[in-house]
Amino acid sequence: MHSAVISLASGYGYFPTPTVAVEAATRLIQGGQLSVSPIEGLPALREALASTYRRSSGYGVSPQQVVVTPGGKAALFALFKTLLRPGDEVLVPTPVWFGFKSLIEQAGGNMRPLPLNSADDYTLTPAAVKAAIGPRTRILLFSNPNNPTGRIYKHAEVEAILDVTRQHPNLMVISDEIYDLVSFSTEPVPSLLEFADPHAQHVVVNGFSKSLALVGWGVGYLVAPTAVAQVCAAWQFATAAAVPTPNQHAALAVTKASASITRELLAQLATTRNILLDGLADLPNVHCHIPEGTYYAFPDFTAYLTPRIDPIIASASLVTRLRKAGVDVVDGASCGAPGFVRLSYAVPEEALREALRRIRKALASAPVF
């Protein structure tokens, strides 16, 4: 085992907390006794978030649709508990973030994967969605940009999918948009809230830890039809406390300063993104879809899997080999893609270069099948 393992597996960047967030929280704390927030979040933060979506979508998004939660997972779980009955299915295009499955199952539902293919750039077609919707399908859940692949689904692609879901008025569509501002595309990542929603089916989950560098503050939120938002808030009231007010003031500050924070974040990530993609391109028998969003790459290492054994076991063996070489990665099997690995480039430049060197060395001593 290498003495100092470098982690490319973390879902969080190493960025410092934005100054505006620290200042906002500090002012509140130094002002005396803290007040307790309403369970659904501070009115000023909910209004700021609703206003952000109103400006980008042109549709009416009200503060009553916003519920501030203790992180993105809490938002997802509140939604699943609100929307799912025992045995209901959540249709999830894969590869996808490994945490969805447990949240769905803990809420009493079943995750139903809809496998996508790296060979066609993880295209999600209306025909595939239409064929996958069954009598127990209650939610279509997707992430845009996608974690782990970095794939961004553009406006026309999302519209084509929604043409299908609108034919099923009882089907809810949840878009996890927590990486929405971490994009290297020439066009903005479309929010689900930008699209016509005649049957009140659309829900967005988001947060501040990825795109706005508010790591460790535990603030997420959901934007849902008002009736759904109210039930989610009631669930939160029964099971948790409101997000602490200093954290919400920090979130409000980064919401107002989002343009400058994101600009600095993307400038910082551009260098390490190039390092990672160039390094992967130089690895023999490794292929990688070019990620437009998030701060991950999801390369295909299947050429190095031991044949004629269970792919999941072979994938775990590959990940163990890389860890022994001194690099932690996320096993693609946990995301629905054995033999792939998720690598973060939200790490210091020198650590990333060393991690790539270790990966190259580990693969050089490994057989290719």
Side-chain angles (χ1 to χ4, degrees), residues 50 55 66 68-69 84-85 97 110 134 161 167 210 223 254 265 267-268 286 303 325 329 347 355:
R55 287 196 305 271
V66 180
V68 180
T69 60
L84 295 175
R85 297 158 297 189
W97 176 57
N110 297 316
I161 299 303
Q167 297 170 30
K210 314 297 185 181
V223 187
V254 298
L265 206 65
Q268 190 170 351
V286 172
V329 303
V347 295

PDB file of all heavy atoms in Angstrom, residues 50 55 66 68-69 84-85 97 110 134 161 167 210 223 254 265 267-268 286 303 325 329 347 355:
ATOM      1  N   ALA A  50     -36.082  31.557  -5.921  1.00  0.00           N
ATOM      2  CA  ALA A  50     -37.197  31.618  -6.866  1.00  0.00           C
ATOM      3  C   ALA A  50     -36.935  32.648  -7.951  1.00  0.00           C
ATOM      4  O   ALA A  50     -37.206  32.417  -9.135  1.00  0.00           O
ATOM      5  CB  ALA A  50     -38.496  31.942  -6.119  1.00  0.00           C
ATOM      6  N   ARG A  55     -35.774  34.352 -13.589  1.00  0.00           N
ATOM      7  CA  ARG A  55     -34.965  35.059 -14.597  1.00  0.00           C
ATOM      8  C   ARG A  55     -34.494  34.115 -15.686  1.00  0.00           C
ATOM      9  O   ARG A  55     -34.478  34.473 -16.862  1.00  0.00           O
ATOM     10  CB  ARG A  55     -33.750  35.718 -13.930  1.00  0.00           C
ATOM     11  CG  ARG A  55     -34.083  36.936 -13.100  1.00  0.00           C
ATOM     12  CD  ARG A  55     -32.825  37.748 -12.816  1.00  0.00           C
ATOM     13  NE  ARG A  55     -31.778  36.952 -12.184  1.00  0.00           N
ATOM     14  CZ  ARG A  55     -31.658  36.800 -10.869  1.00  0.00           C
ATOM     15  NH1 ARG A  55     -32.521  37.368 -10.056  1.00  0.00           N
ATOM     16  NH2 ARG A  55     -30.673  36.070 -10.351  1.00  0.00           N
ATOM     17  N   VAL A  66     -40.288  26.654  -2.930  1.00  0.00           N
ATOM     18  CA  VAL A  66     -38.912  26.373  -2.508  1.00  0.00           C
ATOM     19  C   VAL A  66     -38.894  25.899  -1.059  1.00  0.00           C
ATOM     20  O   VAL A  66     -39.495  26.530  -0.182  1.00  0.00           O
ATOM     21  CB  VAL A  66     -38.032  27.637  -2.655  1.00  0.00           C
ATOM     22  CG1 VAL A  66     -36.592  27.335  -2.219  1.00  0.00           C
ATOM     23  CG2 VAL A  66     -38.063  28.156  -4.096  1.00  0.00           C
ATOM     24  N   VAL A  68     -35.887  24.862   1.698  1.00  0.00           N
ATOM     25  CA  VAL A  68     -34.460  24.777   2.005  1.00  0.00           C
ATOM     26  C   VAL A  68     -34.253  23.584   2.934  1.00  0.00           C
ATOM     27  O   VAL A  68     -34.965  23.432   3.936  1.00  0.00           O
ATOM     28  CB  VAL A  68     -33.957  26.076   2.664  1.00  0.00           C
ATOM     29  CG1 VAL A  68     -32.469  25.982   2.992  1.00  0.00           C
ATOM     30  CG2 VAL A  68     -34.238  27.263   1.743  1.00  0.00           C
ATOM     31  N   THR A  69     -33.291  22.742   2.616  1.00  0.00           N
ATOM     32  CA  THR A  69     -33.092  21.481   3.323  1.00  0.00           C
ATOM     33  C   THR A  69     -31.654  21.352   3.815  1.00  0.00           C
ATOM     34  O   THR A  69     -30.753  22.011   3.288  1.00  0.00           O
ATOM     35  CB  THR A  69     -33.406  20.293   2.401  1.00  0.00           C
ATOM     36  OG1 THR A  69     -32.522  20.332   1.264  1.00  0.00           O
ATOM     37  CG2 THR A  69     -34.850  20.336   1.911  1.00  0.00           C
ATOM     38  N   LEU A  84     -43.507   8.624  -3.171  1.00  0.00           N
ATOM     39  CA  LEU A  84     -43.502   7.184  -3.417  1.00  0.00           C
ATOM     40  C   LEU A  84     -44.418   6.433  -2.452  1.00  0.00           C
ATOM     41  O   LEU A  84     -44.455   6.725  -1.260  1.00  0.00           O
ATOM     42  CB  LEU A  84     -42.079   6.631  -3.280  1.00  0.00           C
ATOM     43  CG  LEU A  84     -41.053   7.110  -4.294  1.00  0.00           C
ATOM     44  CD1 LEU A  84     -39.670   6.560  -3.942  1.00  0.00           C
ATOM     45  CD2 LEU A  84     -41.444   6.694  -5.715  1.00  0.00           C
ATOM     46  N   ARG A  85     -45.112   5.458  -3.006  1.00  0.00           N
ATOM     47  CA  ARG A  85     -45.811   4.465  -2.203  1.00  0.00           C
ATOM     48  C   ARG A  85     -44.986   3.178  -2.251  1.00  0.00           C
ATOM     49  O   ARG A  85     -44.195   2.986  -3.173  1.00  0.00           O
ATOM     50  CB  ARG A  85     -47.209   4.223  -2.761  1.00  0.00           C
ATOM     51  CG  ARG A  85     -48.114   5.463  -2.710  1.00  0.00           C
ATOM     52  CD  ARG A  85     -49.235   5.365  -3.714  1.00  0.00           C
ATOM     53  NE  ARG A  85     -48.709   5.322  -5.080  1.00  0.00           N
ATOM     54  CZ  ARG A  85     -49.458   5.411  -6.171  1.00  0.00           C
ATOM     55  NH1 ARG A  85     -50.762   5.524  -6.061  1.00  0.00           N
ATOM     56  NH2 ARG A  85     -48.905   5.370  -7.373  1.00  0.00           N
ATOM     57  N   TRP A  97     -25.153   8.761 -10.123  1.00  0.00           N
ATOM     58  CA  TRP A  97     -24.597   8.868  -8.770  1.00  0.00           C
ATOM     59  C   TRP A  97     -25.057   7.694  -7.910  1.00  0.00           C
ATOM     60  O   TRP A  97     -26.249   7.353  -7.866  1.00  0.00           O
ATOM     61  CB  TRP A  97     -25.040  10.180  -8.136  1.00  0.00           C
ATOM     62  CG  TRP A  97     -24.615  10.356  -6.716  1.00  0.00           C
ATOM     63  CD1 TRP A  97     -23.347  10.316  -6.221  1.00  0.00           C
ATOM     64  CD2 TRP A  97     -25.480  10.596  -5.595  1.00  0.00           C
ATOM     65  NE1 TRP A  97     -23.364  10.530  -4.863  1.00  0.00           N
ATOM     66  CE2 TRP A  97     -24.647  10.703  -4.456  1.00  0.00           C
ATOM     67  CE3 TRP A  97     -26.860  10.744  -5.451  1.00  0.00           C
ATOM     68  CZ2 TRP A  97     -25.171  10.947  -3.186  1.00  0.00           C
ATOM     69  CZ3 TRP A  97     -27.368  10.985  -4.192  1.00  0.00           C
ATOM     70  CH2 TRP A  97     -26.526  11.086  -3.069  1.00  0.00           C
ATOM     71  N   ASN A 110     -38.416   1.386  -5.416  1.00  0.00           N
ATOM     72  CA  ASN A 110     -37.458   0.544  -6.133  1.00  0.00           C
ATOM     73  C   ASN A 110     -36.815   1.356  -7.244  1.00  0.00           C
ATOM     74  O   ASN A 110     -37.523   2.010  -8.022  1.00  0.00           O
ATOM     75  CB  ASN A 110     -38.146  -0.684  -6.743  1.00  0.00           C
ATOM     76  CG  ASN A 110     -38.756  -1.597  -5.701  1.00  0.00           C
ATOM     77  OD1 ASN A 110     -38.132  -1.883  -4.688  1.00  0.00           O
ATOM     78  ND2 ASN A 110     -39.987  -2.040  -5.930  1.00  0.00           N
ATOM     79  N   GLY A 134     -43.392   1.990 -16.853  1.00  0.00           N
ATOM     80  CA  GLY A 134     -44.311   0.890 -16.581  1.00  0.00           C
ATOM     81  C   GLY A 134     -45.419   1.304 -15.638  1.00  0.00           C
ATOM     82  O   GLY A 134     -45.496   2.464 -15.203  1.00  0.00           O
ATOM     83  N   ILE A 161     -37.634  14.514 -24.220  1.00  0.00           N
ATOM     84  CA  ILE A 161     -38.000  13.586 -23.139  1.00  0.00           C
ATOM     85  C   ILE A 161     -39.312  14.023 -22.485  1.00  0.00           C
ATOM     86  O   ILE A 161     -40.183  13.201 -22.185  1.00  0.00           O
ATOM     87  CB  ILE A 161     -36.883  13.519 -22.080  1.00  0.00           C
ATOM     88  CG1 ILE A 161     -35.580  13.011 -22.695  1.00  0.00           C
ATOM     89  CG2 ILE A 161     -37.302  12.645 -20.907  1.00  0.00           C
ATOM     90  CD1 ILE A 161     -35.673  11.677 -23.367  1.00  0.00           C
ATOM     91  N   GLN A 167     -47.233  12.847 -21.421  1.00  0.00           N
ATOM     92  CA  GLN A 167     -48.288  11.885 -21.756  1.00  0.00           C
ATOM     93  C   GLN A 167     -48.647  11.004 -20.553  1.00  0.00           C
ATOM     94  O   GLN A 167     -49.557  10.189 -20.634  1.00  0.00           O
ATOM     95  CB  GLN A 167     -47.835  11.011 -22.923  1.00  0.00           C
ATOM     96  CG  GLN A 167     -47.580  11.784 -24.208  1.00  0.00           C
ATOM     97  CD  GLN A 167     -46.914  10.938 -25.279  1.00  0.00           C
ATOM     98  OE1 GLN A 167     -47.113   9.730 -25.344  1.00  0.00           O
ATOM     99  NE2 GLN A 167     -46.118  11.568 -26.125  1.00  0.00           N
ATOM    100  N   LYS A 210     -21.405  22.296  -4.657  1.00  0.00           N
ATOM    101  CA  LYS A 210     -20.662  21.959  -5.869  1.00  0.00           C
ATOM    102  C   LYS A 210     -20.383  23.210  -6.707  1.00  0.00           C
ATOM    103  O   LYS A 210     -19.240  23.593  -6.928  1.00  0.00           O
ATOM    104  CB  LYS A 210     -21.430  20.936  -6.706  1.00  0.00           C
ATOM    105  CG  LYS A 210     -21.998  19.771  -5.917  1.00  0.00           C
ATOM    106  CD  LYS A 210     -20.941  18.912  -5.264  1.00  0.00           C
ATOM    107  CE  LYS A 210     -21.586  17.696  -4.604  1.00  0.00           C
ATOM    108  NZ  LYS A 210     -20.623  16.825  -3.938  1.00  0.00           N
ATOM    109  N   VAL A 223     -37.235  22.642  -5.469  1.00  0.00           N
ATOM    110  CA  VAL A 223     -38.255  23.521  -6.047  1.00  0.00           C
ATOM    111  C   VAL A 223     -39.290  22.602  -6.678  1.00  0.00           C
ATOM    112  O   VAL A 223     -38.978  21.835  -7.598  1.00  0.00           O
ATOM    113  CB  VAL A 223     -37.680  24.470  -7.103  1.00  0.00           C
ATOM    114  CG1 VAL A 223     -38.742  25.469  -7.544  1.00  0.00           C
ATOM    115  CG2 VAL A 223     -36.444  25.198  -6.586  1.00  0.00           C
ATOM    116  N   VAL A 254     -23.912  33.604  -1.372  1.00  0.00           N
ATOM    117  CA  VAL A 254     -23.327  33.018  -2.588  1.00  0.00           C
ATOM    118  C   VAL A 254     -24.327  32.989  -3.730  1.00  0.00           C
ATOM    119  O   VAL A 254     -23.940  33.038  -4.899  1.00  0.00           O
ATOM    120  CB  VAL A 254     -22.742  31.615  -2.328  1.00  0.00           C
ATOM    121  CG1 VAL A 254     -21.604  31.676  -1.319  1.00  0.00           C
ATOM    122  CG2 VAL A 254     -23.797  30.608  -1.903  1.00  0.00           C
ATOM    123  N   LEU A 265     -14.356  29.685 -10.009  1.00  0.00           N
ATOM    124  CA  LEU A 265     -14.309  28.235  -9.876  1.00  0.00           C
ATOM    125  C   LEU A 265     -13.949  27.580 -11.211  1.00  0.00           C
ATOM    126  O   LEU A 265     -13.081  26.694 -11.277  1.00  0.00           O
ATOM    127  CB  LEU A 265     -15.672  27.735  -9.396  1.00  0.00           C
ATOM    128  CG  LEU A 265     -15.730  26.422  -8.634  1.00  0.00           C
ATOM    129  CD1 LEU A 265     -14.999  26.541  -7.318  1.00  0.00           C
ATOM    130  CD2 LEU A 265     -17.195  26.036  -8.394  1.00  0.00           C
ATOM    131  N   ALA A 267     -12.437  28.922 -13.775  1.00  0.00           N
ATOM    132  CA  ALA A 267     -11.064  29.261 -14.166  1.00  0.00           C
ATOM    133  C   ALA A 267     -10.071  28.347 -13.455  1.00  0.00           C
ATOM    134  O   ALA A 267      -9.077  27.896 -14.046  1.00  0.00           O
ATOM    135  CB  ALA A 267     -10.778  30.722 -13.837  1.00  0.00           C
ATOM    136  N   GLN A 268     -10.348  28.058 -12.199  1.00  0.00           N
ATOM    137  CA  GLN A 268      -9.474  27.182 -11.422  1.00  0.00           C
ATOM    138  C   GLN A 268      -9.558  25.742 -11.929  1.00  0.00           C
ATOM    139  O   GLN A 268      -8.547  25.036 -12.020  1.00  0.00           O
ATOM    140  CB  GLN A 268      -9.882  27.247  -9.954  1.00  0.00           C
ATOM    141  CG  GLN A 268      -8.902  26.580  -8.998  1.00  0.00           C
ATOM    142  CD  GLN A 268      -9.255  26.888  -7.545  1.00  0.00           C
ATOM    143  OE1 GLN A 268     -10.116  27.720  -7.271  1.00  0.00           O
ATOM    144  NE2 GLN A 268      -8.596  26.225  -6.630  1.00  0.00           N
ATOM    145  N   VAL A 286      -7.429   2.918 -22.682  1.00  0.00           N
ATOM    146  CA  VAL A 286      -8.415   3.619 -21.859  1.00  0.00           C
ATOM    147  C   VAL A 286      -9.138   4.625 -22.736  1.00  0.00           C
ATOM    148  O   VAL A 286      -8.505   5.379 -23.482  1.00  0.00           O
ATOM    149  CB  VAL A 286      -7.750   4.336 -20.659  1.00  0.00           C
ATOM    150  CG1 VAL A 286      -8.751   5.223 -19.927  1.00  0.00           C
ATOM    151  CG2 VAL A 286      -7.149   3.314 -19.702  1.00  0.00           C
ATOM    152  N   ALA A 303     -10.779  -2.715 -20.509  1.00  0.00           N
ATOM    153  CA  ALA A 303      -9.721  -3.540 -21.111  1.00  0.00           C
ATOM    154  C   ALA A 303      -8.849  -4.201 -20.043  1.00  0.00           C
ATOM    155  O   ALA A 303      -8.151  -5.182 -20.335  1.00  0.00           O
ATOM    156  CB  ALA A 303      -8.850  -2.696 -22.038  1.00  0.00           C
ATOM    157  N   ALA A 325      -1.815   1.139  -5.687  1.00  0.00           N
ATOM    158  CA  ALA A 325      -0.843   1.997  -6.368  1.00  0.00           C
ATOM    159  C   ALA A 325      -0.842   3.415  -5.811  1.00  0.00           C
ATOM    160  O   ALA A 325      -0.023   4.245  -6.219  1.00  0.00           O
ATOM    161  CB  ALA A 325      -1.135   2.037  -7.866  1.00  0.00           C
ATOM    162  N   VAL A 329     -10.293   5.888  -6.225  1.00  0.00           N
ATOM    163  CA  VAL A 329     -11.246   6.268  -7.264  1.00  0.00           C
ATOM    164  C   VAL A 329     -12.609   5.709  -6.876  1.00  0.00           C
ATOM    165  O   VAL A 329     -12.729   4.861  -6.008  1.00  0.00           O
ATOM    166  CB  VAL A 329     -10.823   5.719  -8.647  1.00  0.00           C
ATOM    167  CG1 VAL A 329      -9.430   6.194  -9.023  1.00  0.00           C
ATOM    168  CG2 VAL A 329     -10.898   4.192  -8.694  1.00  0.00           C
ATOM    169  N   VAL A 347      -9.021  18.795  -7.564  1.00  0.00           N
ATOM    170  CA  VAL A 347      -7.927  18.511  -6.641  1.00  0.00           C
ATOM    171  C   VAL A 347      -6.738  19.385  -7.037  1.00  0.00           C
ATOM    172  O   VAL A 347      -6.673  19.869  -8.171  1.00  0.00           O
ATOM    173  CB  VAL A 347      -7.523  17.022  -6.676  1.00  0.00           C
ATOM    174  CG1 VAL A 347      -8.649  16.144  -6.161  1.00  0.00           C
ATOM    175  CG2 VAL A 347      -7.132  16.588  -8.080  1.00  0.00           C
ATOM    176  N   ALA A 355      -1.179  11.482  -9.219  1.00  0.00           N
ATOM    177  CA  ALA A 355      -2.172  10.411  -9.307  1.00  0.00           C
ATOM    178  C   ALA A 355      -2.171   9.776 -10.693  1.00  0.00           C
ATOM    179  O   ALA A 355      -2.230   8.543 -10.827  1.00  0.00           O
ATOM    180  CB  ALA A 355      -3.559  10.952  -8.972  1.00  0.00           C
TER     181      ALA A 355
END
